[in-house]
């Protein structure tokens, strides 16, 4: 099956710093999403981005589908950005499902 | 619009018991899928329902089952609970990939088996 790899696994930043999280996937996918898991466990949708670039405030994401990777940029990080970031790719065969990467644990220090 | 609602939020069960979790999707979403999250295995797909039909199932034993009702609400059931079933169970709803917004997740049900 498809493999989804995220890097780095852990990241510690000082407040105000910028960061780039990467997601590589092993096969063509229907779409890709980035999620932030809050301390209570809910997955918050950040971007639905099968290709191209999108921006939402201090966050932006780029997916290059032909090269099978996606990047999530966090600028001017804040302590509230802490948590786990997941990328997930959608597979459409016999229905739909998401395959998740292992996540990046981000800790932003004040 | 209301989000995805999962009940209960927390649950403690004893080995051998069974449990039923509920998920109400966003109004108009006909696809509901379930995921299990554990520290060791990460987020894993359980199954997906669309218009009351199970379309896809992950690699889980038959003790894990589910169903979807005509109003798109879904339930999942785990019978003969084992300690290893302790996990966060997340439900997601979508328009089956046609709306450009992907999947929306509920807050999850945290199941502890003792």
């Amino acid at each position: 099956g498809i493999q989804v790899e995220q890097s780095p696994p852990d990241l510690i930043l000082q407040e105000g710093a910028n960061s780039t999280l990467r997601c590589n996937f092993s096969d063509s996918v229907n779409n890709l999403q980035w999620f932030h898991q809050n301390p209570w466990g809910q997955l918050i949708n950040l971007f639905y981005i099968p290709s191209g670039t999108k921006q939402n405030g201090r966050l932006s994401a780029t997916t290059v589908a032909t090269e099978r990777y996606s990047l999530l940029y966090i600028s001017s990080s804040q302590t509230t950005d802490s948590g786990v970031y997941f990328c997930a790719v959608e597979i459409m065969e016999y229905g739909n499902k998401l395959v998740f990467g292992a996540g990046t644990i981000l800790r932003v220090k004040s | 619009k209301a989000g995805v609602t999962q009940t209960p939020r927390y649950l403690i069960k004893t080995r051998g018991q069974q449990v039923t979790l509920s998920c109400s999707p966003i109004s108009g979403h006909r696809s509901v899928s379930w995921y299990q999250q554990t520290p060791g295995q990460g987020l894993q797909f359980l199954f997906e329902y669309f218009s009351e039909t199970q379309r896809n199932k992950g690699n889980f034993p038959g003790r894990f089952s589910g169903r979807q009702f005509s109003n798109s609400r879904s339930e999942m059931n785990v019978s003969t609970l084992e300690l290893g079933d302790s996990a966060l169970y997340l439900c997601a709803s979508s328009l089956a990939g046609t709306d450009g917004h992907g999947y929306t997740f509920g807050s999850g049900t945290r199941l502890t088996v003792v």
Side-chain angles (χ1 to χ4, degrees):
Chain A
I2 191 167
Q3 303 296 315
V4 181
E5 295 181 353
Q6 290 187 243
S7 60
D10 287 278
L11 190 57
I12 301 174
L13 296 176
Q14 201 63 36
E15 199 169 27
N18 303 327
S19 62
T20 301
L21 281 57
R22 187 176 179 102
C23 173
N24 293 331
F25 42 98
S26 61
D27 205 345
S28 300
V29 298
N30 193 58
N31 80 60
L32 184 144
Q33 278 186 267
W34 283 96
F35 296 93
H36 177 214
Q37 188 164 40
N38 66 22
W40 298 273
Q42 186 170 9
L43 289 170
I44 308 299
N45 182 26
L46 297 176
F47 293 102
Y48 170 93
I49 185 163
S51 63
T53 297
K54 290 186 178 180
Q55 180 154 8
N56 184 4
R58 297 181 296 103
L59 273 59
S60 65
T62 296
T63 296
V64 183
T66 53
E67 297 186 23
R68 299 177 185 168
Y69 74 88
S70 183
L71 302 173
L72 177 68
Y73 305 96
I74 304 173
S75 64
S76 304
S77 58
Q78 301 175 356
T79 55
T80 51
D81 294 331
S82 297
V84 186
Y85 289 81
F86 290 99
C87 80
V89 299
E90 182 182 39
I91 308 300
M92 291 180 72
E93 54 181 30
Y94 310 111
N96 304 336
K97 71 175 184 181
L98 290 176
V99 177
F100 284 83
T104 293
I105 301 173
L106 174 64
R107 283 173 281 180
V108 181
K109 295 184 172 182
S110 59
Chain B
K1 55 183 177 182
V4 178
T5 303
Q6 289 188 248
T7 56
R9 289 295 308 277
Y10 302 93
L11 209 48
I12 299 175
K13 289 287 190 179
T14 304
R15 269 183 304 176
Q17 288 186 312
Q18 74 163 14
V19 66
T20 299
L21 311 181
S22 178
C23 173
S24 293
I26 290 173
S27 178
H29 284 196
R30 294 164 64 189
S31 172
V32 175
S33 49
W34 290 87
Y35 296 81
Q36 182 197 62
Q37 185 176 27
T38 59
Q41 299 298 317
L43 279 150
Q44 292 188 292
F45 171 75
L46 279 158
F47 25 66
E48 186 230 5
Y49 288 87
F50 182 86
S51 293
E52 302 180 63
T53 300
Q54 184 184 91
R55 297 198 300 183
N56 203 347
K57 187 173 176 17
N59 188 25
F60 280 83
R63 300 184 297 106
F64 291 81
S65 63
R67 58 179 176 168
Q68 186 180 34
F69 301 96
S70 59
N71 62 357
S72 293
R73 188 177 73 86
S74 177
E75 290 181 346
M76 67 163 281
N77 185 76
V78 188
S79 63
T80 319
L81 284 165
E82 301 177 359
L83 295 179
D85 297 333
S86 295
L88 178 65
Y89 290 87
L90 292 161
C91 161
S93 79
S94 78
L95 283 169
T98 60
D99 70 334
H101 296 288
Y103 294 71
T104 302
F105 281 81
S107 299
T109 294
R110 194 169 295 277
L111 171 65
T112 302
V113 182
V114 298

